[in-house]
């Protein structure tokens, strides 16, 4: 039997490995012990209602306690972080111990942030249980929670010590949840340079799932290693997200995040073409790749262009002028100050 695919995220002292493959969750105890400076006495396992993925911490730890947070976006809040931290304190968790988050992005973002602030920073390992988590949310150290004023407005960069992407657990995902992950996978197609493999859609389609996930992880790891704090290149990971976030904030369209990203990728291509950055063939390629993943390429019914464009500016990553990630001769890159008329025309092109 071959072992898991091991992908390093090279961040100096904060470097860690992402292990991808069937059954990697069973490696938690040994990998965690090997990774941390000292064997933790206590491990706080944070999960959510309905995840149902068990992790085995073996005999390497003195005490393990489960902390369950309610399912749903409302749990991604400062109130949940306070509650977790208070429960960690009652458990006796210290900075020499560890938190393990088992779940989708909601759990890893929230528990990751609790770990980042508890005792000014406690090691955390992630066992992401969704495709979206395995190829995006759990990699790269972005943790955080929502405020009533907006999503992910409070958080910290806090790199995990270990990420175990167990492909076995994906078998239990709902079709809708799985499709949501495919939206991010489609995004990597356009970010993938010639050497990464993630950019070659035909080759990707032939690969076993763990290798497809590993290619996305490797691409994200490389981008994060080059720009941990998103001062430039990491913004590329927001490709397709400006429209996606606007659709999500506007609400009421019943789109999963990855489906919104899928429409956002086609939209970004339409904007880029209007700015003379790419030609019609490349726009068609965006539609073809997104469709090949079975994802939507058009706006849902009932969207209002003016409202969506106003919401673009509310993306928390907009600094000063609106910045969109747009494809071009050198591949996708951040572009500032796109004209409102162009933004509106491109929206009409994806109705
Ligand atoms: N999900 C985007 C990033 O990690 O930067």
């Amino acid at each position: 039997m071959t072992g898991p695919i091991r992908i390093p995220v090279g961040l100096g002292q904060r470097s860690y490995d992402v292990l991808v493959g069937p059954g990697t969750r069973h490696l938690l105890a040994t990998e965690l012990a090997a990774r941390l400076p000292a064997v933790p006495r206590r491990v706080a396992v944070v999960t959510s209602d309905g995840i149902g993925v068990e992790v085995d911490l073996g005999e390497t730890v003195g005490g393990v306690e489960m902390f369950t947070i309610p399912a749903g976006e409302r749990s991604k809040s400062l109130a949940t972080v306070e509650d977790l931290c208070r429960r960690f304190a009652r458990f006796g968790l210290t900075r020499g111990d560890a938190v393990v988050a088992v779940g989708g992005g909601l759990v890893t973002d929230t528990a990751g942030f609790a770990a980042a602030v508890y005792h000014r920073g406690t090691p955390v390992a992630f066992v992401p249980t969704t495709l979206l988590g395995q190829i995006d949310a759990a990699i790269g150290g972005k943790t955080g929670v929502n405020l009533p004023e907006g999503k992910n407005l409070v958080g910290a960069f806090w790199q995990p010590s270990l990420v175990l992407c167990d492909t076995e657990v994906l078998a239990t995902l709902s079709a809708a949840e799985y499709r949501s992950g495919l939206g991010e996978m489609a995004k990597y197609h356009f970010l993938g340079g010639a050497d990464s493999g993630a950019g070659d859609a035909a080759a990707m389609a032939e690969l076993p799932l763990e290798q497809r996930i590993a290619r996305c992880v490797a691409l994200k790891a490389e981008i994060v290693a080059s720009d941990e704090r998103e001062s430039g290149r990491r913004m590329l990971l927001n490709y397709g997200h400006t429209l996606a976030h606007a659709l999500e904030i506007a609400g009421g369209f019943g789109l999963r995040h990855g489906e919104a990203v899928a429409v956002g990728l086609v939209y970004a291509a339409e904007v880029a073409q209007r700015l003379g950055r790419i030609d019609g063939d490349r726009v068609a390629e965006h539609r073809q790749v997104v469709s090949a993943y079975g994802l939507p390429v058009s706006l849902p019914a009932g969207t209002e262009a003016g409202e969506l464009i106003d919401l673009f500016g509310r993306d928390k990553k907009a600094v000063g002028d609106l910045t969109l990630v747009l494809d071009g001769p050198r591949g996708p890159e951040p572009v500032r100050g796109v004209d409102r008329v162009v933004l509106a025309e491109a929206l009409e092109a994806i109705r």
Side-chain angles (χ1 to χ4, degrees):
M1 200 188 92
T2 57
I5 307 170
R6 188 179 288 267
I7 299 142
V9 184
L11 289 165
Q13 290 193 327
R14 294 182 307 289
S15 296
Y16 53 97
D17 285 348
V18 181
L19 270 60
V20 183
T24 53
R25 68 189 186 283
H26 302 302
L27 302 174
L28 181 61
T30 44
E31 289 289 332
L32 200 57
R35 176 65 209 162
L36 298 179
V39 175
R41 284 179 310 119
R42 293 187 169 83
V43 175
V45 179
V46 181
T47 191
S48 172
D49 292 327
I51 300 289
V53 172
E54 293 192 358
V55 287
D56 179 7
L57 282 143
E59 290 168 10
T60 50
V61 287
V64 179
E65 197 160 309
M66 293 281 290
F67 299 86
T68 302
I69 61 178
E73 194 70 15
R74 280 172 67 91
S75 278
K76 200 175 155 175
S77 67
L78 283 170
T80 305
V81 173
E82 180 182 359
D83 182 56
L84 280 175
C85 289
R86 292 184 63 183
R87 289 157 75 195
F88 292 167
R90 292 198 292 273
F91 175 42
L93 197 76
T94 71
R95 200 165 49 183
D97 296 321
V99 174
V100 172
V102 183
L106 185 145
V107 176
T108 54
D109 280 9
T110 307
F113 183 49
V117 293
Y118 184 74
H119 284 208
R120 300 194 179 87
T122 302
V124 63
F126 291 147
V127 183
T129 58
T130 61
L131 182 57
L132 189 66
Q134 296 194 356
I135 63 174
D136 187 31
I139 323 285
K142 278 190 183 175
T143 69
V145 295
N146 303 331
L147 293 178
E149 287 73 15
K151 282 169 66 105
N152 296 323
L153 290 185
V154 178
F157 287 98
W158 184 246
Q159 298 296 341
S161 301
L162 172 71
V163 182
L164 299 175
C165 298
D166 189 336
T167 47
E168 263 172 24
V169 307
L170 301 179
T172 60
L173 285 184
S174 70
E177 188 63 61
Y178 190 74
R179 269 161 62 79
S180 191
L182 291 179
E184 294 289 347
M185 208 174 245
K187 173 189 83 178
Y188 286 111
H189 170 89
F190 300 103
L191 301 184
D195 328 328
S196 76
D200 183 341
M204 278 286 273
E206 299 293 313
L207 293 174
L209 182 61
E210 61 261 35
Q211 288 186 30
R212 298 167 76 191
I213 292 172
R215 289 193 176 200
C216 296
V217 170
L219 191 49
K220 177 151 188 184
E222 186 269 311
I223 292 174
V224 167
S226 69
D227 178 23
E228 182 184 9
R229 298 272 170 145
E230 198 171 302
S231 53
R233 192 154 174 264
R234 186 166 177 167
M235 281 183 215
L236 299 184
L237 294 169
N238 300 326
Y239 193 40
H241 282 61
T242 301
L243 176 63
H245 286 150
L247 288 168
E248 288 171 316
I249 297 168
F253 302 117
L255 290 179
R256 295 264 175 170
H257 176 70
E259 293 170 319
V261 169
V263 182
L265 293 170
V266 178
Y267 176 64
E270 291 285 355
V271 173
Q273 187 190 18
R274 277 164 182 75
L275 297 177
R277 298 176 55 85
I278 58 172
D279 60 18
D281 287 350
R282 183 70 170 160
V283 180
E285 188 184 338
H286 277 71
R287 288 180 189 275
Q288 182 263 317
V289 168
V290 169
S291 306
Y293 280 103
L295 294 166
V297 295
S298 309
L299 283 174
T303 52
E304 210 267 293
E307 184 198 10
L308 289 177
I309 294 171
D310 289 344
L311 288 173
F312 289 172
R314 277 192 40 202
D315 189 326
K316 73 177 191 306
K317 285 148 194 136
V319 181
D321 278 350
L322 174 68
T323 302
L324 264 82
V325 179
L326 295 177
D327 202 1
R330 293 173 299 275
E333 59 190 0
V335 176
R336 286 184 145 209
V338 181
D339 191 86
R340 201 178 162 101
V341 175
V342 172
L343 296 175
E345 279 176 11
L347 280 174
E348 295 316 312
I350 59 163
R351 281 204 193 275

